[in-house]
Amino acid sequence: MIYIKSKEYDTKRILDRIMGPNPVKLDEELLKNYRIPRGATAVMIGFVLDFCLPL
C-alpha cells in the first residue's frame, strides 16, 4: 500500500519515538474506506508523543 496521507508525518521526530509498526500508517490503512466527517476529531489511542499531531 502507498501511504499518501501519512507521508507528511514521516519525520525524524516521529520515527524516533515509535516502536514497532508506524501507527500513522496503520491508521491510514484502517481508515482508507471510511469517510471522516469534516470537522471531526481523530484520536489515536496508544500513540502518545510530546506534541499534538494535527490530522
Side-chain angles (χ1 to χ4, degrees), residues 6-24:
S6 60
K7 269 197 227 177
E8 64 187 270
Y9 298 105
D10 281 346
T11 64
K12 181 169 175 28
R13 185 175 186 183
I14 291 174
L15 297 176
D16 286 348
R17 287 171 170 74
I18 62 174
M19 295 176 3
N22 187 326
V24 180

Side-chain angles (χ1 to χ4, degrees), residues 22-50:
N22 187 326
V24 180
K25 288 181 180 179
L26 290 175
D27 285 340
E28 182 175 349
E29 189 165 348
L30 288 170
L31 296 172
K32 71 179 178 181
N33 295 320
Y34 181 77
R35 289 187 173 262
I36 299 174
R38 183 174 294 281
T41 302
V43 179
M44 298 171 63
I45 298 173
F47 183 54
V48 180
L49 298 176
D50 59 348

